[in-house]
PDB file of all heavy atoms in Angstrom:
ATOM      1  N   ALA A 126     107.360  82.469  86.436  1.00 97.00           N
ATOM      2  CA  ALA A 126     106.280  81.644  87.055  1.00 97.00           C
ATOM      3  C   ALA A 126     105.445  80.898  86.045  1.00 97.00           C
ATOM      4  O   ALA A 126     104.343  80.513  86.313  1.00 97.00           O
ATOM      5  CB  ALA A 126     105.399  82.527  87.935  1.00 97.00           C
ATOM      6  N   ASP A 127     105.993  80.657  84.879  1.00 96.00           N
ATOM      7  CA  ASP A 127     105.278  80.020  83.773  1.00 96.00           C
ATOM      8  C   ASP A 127     104.934  78.560  84.113  1.00 96.00           C
ATOM      9  O   ASP A 127     104.016  77.974  83.566  1.00 96.00           O
ATOM     10  CB  ASP A 127     106.097  80.095  82.499  1.00 96.00           C
ATOM     11  CG  ASP A 127     105.227  80.121  81.232  1.00 96.00           C
ATOM     12  OD1 ASP A 127     104.173  80.758  81.280  1.00 96.00           O
ATOM     13  OD2 ASP A 127     105.626  79.500  80.252  1.00 96.00           O
ATOM     14  N   GLU A 128     105.738  77.986  85.039  1.00 97.00           N
ATOM     15  CA  GLU A 128     105.564  76.562  85.369  1.00 97.00           C
ATOM     16  C   GLU A 128     104.679  76.328  86.600  1.00 97.00           C
ATOM     17  O   GLU A 128     104.516  75.189  87.037  1.00 97.00           O
ATOM     18  CB  GLU A 128     106.890  75.898  85.571  1.00 97.00           C
ATOM     19  CG  GLU A 128     107.777  75.834  84.331  1.00 97.00           C
ATOM     20  CD  GLU A 128     109.125  75.219  84.609  1.00 97.00           C
ATOM     21  OE1 GLU A 128     109.964  75.887  85.269  1.00 97.00           O
ATOM     22  OE2 GLU A 128     109.386  74.081  84.216  1.00 97.00           O
ATOM     23  N   TYR A 129     104.097  77.400  87.135  1.00 98.00           N
ATOM     24  CA  TYR A 129     103.286  77.253  88.347  1.00 98.00           C
ATOM     25  C   TYR A 129     102.189  76.232  88.143  1.00 98.00           C
ATOM     26  O   TYR A 129     101.957  75.335  88.966  1.00 98.00           O
ATOM     27  CB  TYR A 129     102.702  78.593  88.749  1.00 98.00           C
ATOM     28  CG  TYR A 129     101.707  78.436  89.886  1.00 98.00           C
ATOM     29  CD1 TYR A 129     102.133  78.300  91.200  1.00 98.00           C
ATOM     30  CD2 TYR A 129     100.336  78.386  89.612  1.00 98.00           C
ATOM     31  CE1 TYR A 129     101.241  78.121  92.235  1.00 98.00           C
ATOM     32  CE2 TYR A 129      99.411  78.206  90.666  1.00 98.00           C
ATOM     33  CZ  TYR A 129      99.850  78.066  91.958  1.00 98.00           C
ATOM     34  OH  TYR A 129      98.972  77.883  92.982  1.00 98.00           O
ATOM     35  N   ALA A 130     101.447  76.357  87.035  1.00 98.00           N
ATOM     36  CA  ALA A 130     100.328  75.444  86.793  1.00 98.00           C
ATOM     37  C   ALA A 130     100.780  73.982  86.686  1.00 98.00           C
ATOM     38  O   ALA A 130     100.144  73.077  87.209  1.00 98.00           O
ATOM     39  CB  ALA A 130      99.597  75.865  85.526  1.00 98.00           C
ATOM     40  N   GLU A 131     101.935  73.770  85.998  1.00 97.00           N
ATOM     41  CA  GLU A 131     102.475  72.434  85.839  1.00 97.00           C
ATOM     42  C   GLU A 131     102.834  71.846  87.234  1.00 97.00           C
ATOM     43  O   GLU A 131     102.548  70.694  87.530  1.00 97.00           O
ATOM     44  CB  GLU A 131     103.686  72.418  84.948  1.00 97.00           C
ATOM     45  CG  GLU A 131     104.354  71.076  84.751  1.00 97.00           C
ATOM     46  CD  GLU A 131     105.590  71.138  83.892  1.00 97.00           C
ATOM     47  OE1 GLU A 131     105.772  72.137  83.167  1.00 97.00           O
ATOM     48  OE2 GLU A 131     106.398  70.217  83.970  1.00 97.00           O
ATOM     49  N   PHE A 132     103.512  72.667  88.064  1.00 98.00           N
ATOM     50  CA  PHE A 132     103.887  72.224  89.389  1.00 98.00           C
ATOM     51  C   PHE A 132     102.649  71.903  90.242  1.00 98.00           C
ATOM     52  O   PHE A 132     102.618  70.904  90.980  1.00 98.00           O
ATOM     53  CB  PHE A 132     104.720  73.261  90.095  1.00 98.00           C
ATOM     54  CG  PHE A 132     106.087  73.531  89.481  1.00 98.00           C
ATOM     55  CD1 PHE A 132     106.688  74.766  89.576  1.00 98.00           C
ATOM     56  CD2 PHE A 132     106.722  72.536  88.752  1.00 98.00           C
ATOM     57  CE1 PHE A 132     107.892  75.000  88.996  1.00 98.00           C
ATOM     58  CE2 PHE A 132     107.937  72.780  88.151  1.00 98.00           C
ATOM     59  CZ  PHE A 132     108.560  74.010  88.281  1.00 98.00           C
ATOM     60  N   ALA A 133     101.629  72.773  90.131  1.00 98.00           N
ATOM     61  CA  ALA A 133     100.426  72.594  90.920  1.00 98.00           C
ATOM     62  C   ALA A 133      99.709  71.300  90.535  1.00 98.00           C
ATOM     63  O   ALA A 133      99.218  70.536  91.406  1.00 98.00           O
ATOM     64  CB  ALA A 133      99.474  73.777  90.740  1.00 98.00           C
ATOM     65  N   ASP A 134      99.672  70.978  89.235  1.00 98.00           N
ATOM     66  CA  ASP A 134      99.027  69.764  88.788  1.00 98.00           C
ATOM     67  C   ASP A 134      99.768  68.519  89.253  1.00 98.00           C
ATOM     68  O   ASP A 134      99.172  67.494  89.577  1.00 98.00           O
ATOM     69  CB  ASP A 134      98.915  69.771  87.249  1.00 98.00           C
ATOM     70  CG  ASP A 134      97.922  70.790  86.751  1.00 98.00           C
ATOM     71  OD1 ASP A 134      97.065  71.252  87.536  1.00 98.00           O
ATOM     72  OD2 ASP A 134      97.983  71.139  85.551  1.00 98.00           O
ATOM     73  N   GLU A 135     101.106  68.624  89.299  1.00 97.00           N
ATOM     74  CA  GLU A 135     101.890  67.469  89.648  1.00 97.00           C
ATOM     75  C   GLU A 135     102.122  67.263  91.139  1.00 97.00           C
ATOM     76  O   GLU A 135     102.076  66.141  91.682  1.00 97.00           O
ATOM     77  CB  GLU A 135     103.262  67.477  88.939  1.00 97.00           C
ATOM     78  CG  GLU A 135     104.085  66.256  89.171  1.00 97.00           C
ATOM     79  CD  GLU A 135     105.244  66.107  88.161  1.00 97.00           C
ATOM     80  OE1 GLU A 135     105.339  66.968  87.282  1.00 97.00           O
ATOM     81  OE2 GLU A 135     105.983  65.140  88.283  1.00 97.00           O
ATOM     82  N   GLU A 138      99.033  72.511  95.033  1.00 98.00           N
ATOM     83  CA  GLU A 138      99.131  73.957  95.093  1.00 98.00           C
ATOM     84  C   GLU A 138     100.173  74.433  96.099  1.00 98.00           C
ATOM     85  O   GLU A 138     100.964  75.354  95.834  1.00 98.00           O
ATOM     86  CB  GLU A 138      97.762  74.597  95.440  1.00 98.00           C
ATOM     87  CG  GLU A 138      96.665  74.370  94.411  1.00 98.00           C
ATOM     88  CD  GLU A 138      96.819  75.255  93.192  1.00 98.00           C
ATOM     89  OE1 GLU A 138      97.618  76.208  93.254  1.00 98.00           O
ATOM     90  OE2 GLU A 138      96.102  75.003  92.178  1.00 98.00           O
ATOM     91  N   ALA A 141     103.668  73.896  94.782  1.00 98.00           N
ATOM     92  CA  ALA A 141     103.927  74.812  93.653  1.00 98.00           C
ATOM     93  C   ALA A 141     104.251  76.201  94.161  1.00 98.00           C
ATOM     94  O   ALA A 141     105.175  76.844  93.682  1.00 98.00           O
ATOM     95  CB  ALA A 141     102.715  74.881  92.749  1.00 98.00           C
ATOM     96  N   GLU A 190      96.454  81.372  79.905  1.00 98.00           N
ATOM     97  CA  GLU A 190      95.878  80.403  80.839  1.00 98.00           C
ATOM     98  C   GLU A 190      96.846  80.129  81.979  1.00 98.00           C
ATOM     99  O   GLU A 190      96.417  80.030  83.138  1.00 98.00           O
ATOM    100  CB  GLU A 190      95.555  79.095  80.085  1.00 98.00           C
ATOM    101  CG  GLU A 190      94.439  79.259  79.088  1.00 98.00           C
ATOM    102  CD  GLU A 190      94.263  78.022  78.233  1.00 98.00           C
ATOM    103  OE1 GLU A 190      95.100  77.089  78.346  1.00 98.00           O
ATOM    104  OE2 GLU A 190      93.299  77.945  77.436  1.00 98.00           O
ATOM    105  N   ARG A 191      98.152  80.008  81.700  1.00 98.00           N
ATOM    106  CA  ARG A 191      99.127  79.765  82.770  1.00 98.00           C
ATOM    107  C   ARG A 191      99.211  80.982  83.699  1.00 98.00           C
ATOM    108  O   ARG A 191      99.344  80.842  84.918  1.00 98.00           O
ATOM    109  CB  ARG A 191     100.483  79.433  82.142  1.00 98.00           C
ATOM    110  CG  ARG A 191     100.541  78.105  81.425  1.00 98.00           C
ATOM    111  CD  ARG A 191     101.955  77.715  81.073  1.00 98.00           C
ATOM    112  NE  ARG A 191     102.614  78.630  80.207  1.00 98.00           N
ATOM    113  CZ  ARG A 191     102.601  78.568  78.877  1.00 98.00           C
ATOM    114  NH1 ARG A 191     101.899  77.608  78.282  1.00 98.00           N
ATOM    115  NH2 ARG A 191     103.236  79.458  78.143  1.00 98.00           N
ATOM    116  N   ARG A 194      96.297  81.000  86.080  1.00 98.00           N
ATOM    117  CA  ARG A 194      96.466  80.052  87.181  1.00 98.00           C
ATOM    118  C   ARG A 194      97.418  80.598  88.220  1.00 98.00           C
ATOM    119  O   ARG A 194      97.212  80.479  89.453  1.00 98.00           O
ATOM    120  CB  ARG A 194      97.032  78.742  86.636  1.00 98.00           C
ATOM    121  CG  ARG A 194      96.050  77.886  85.857  1.00 98.00           C
ATOM    122  CD  ARG A 194      95.184  77.057  86.779  1.00 98.00           C
ATOM    123  NE  ARG A 194      95.872  76.170  87.661  1.00 98.00           N
ATOM    124  CZ  ARG A 194      96.367  74.932  87.393  1.00 98.00           C
ATOM    125  NH1 ARG A 194      96.148  74.440  86.130  1.00 98.00           N
ATOM    126  NH2 ARG A 194      96.923  74.217  88.291  1.00 98.00           N
ATOM    127  N   PHE A 195      98.509  81.212  87.781  1.00 98.00           N
ATOM    128  CA  PHE A 195      99.494  81.801  88.708  1.00 98.00           C
ATOM    129  C   PHE A 195      98.877  82.905  89.532  1.00 98.00           C
ATOM    130  O   PHE A 195      99.030  82.966  90.762  1.00 98.00           O
ATOM    131  CB  PHE A 195     100.702  82.279  87.932  1.00 98.00           C
ATOM    132  CG  PHE A 195     101.705  83.083  88.742  1.00 98.00           C
ATOM    133  CD1 PHE A 195     102.200  82.579  89.921  1.00 98.00           C
ATOM    134  CD2 PHE A 195     102.133  84.325  88.286  1.00 98.00           C
ATOM    135  CE1 PHE A 195     103.136  83.286  90.671  1.00 98.00           C
ATOM    136  CE2 PHE A 195     103.068  85.026  89.059  1.00 98.00           C
ATOM    137  CZ  PHE A 195     103.565  84.520  90.230  1.00 98.00           C
TER     138      PHE A 195
END
Side-chain angles (χ1 to χ4, degrees):
D127 210 38
E128 294 177 288
Y129 172 79
E131 179 184 341
F132 295 152
D134 290 343
E135 184 163 359
E138 297 283 348
E190 293 172 354
R191 292 192 298 271
R194 286 279 303 275
F195 172 51

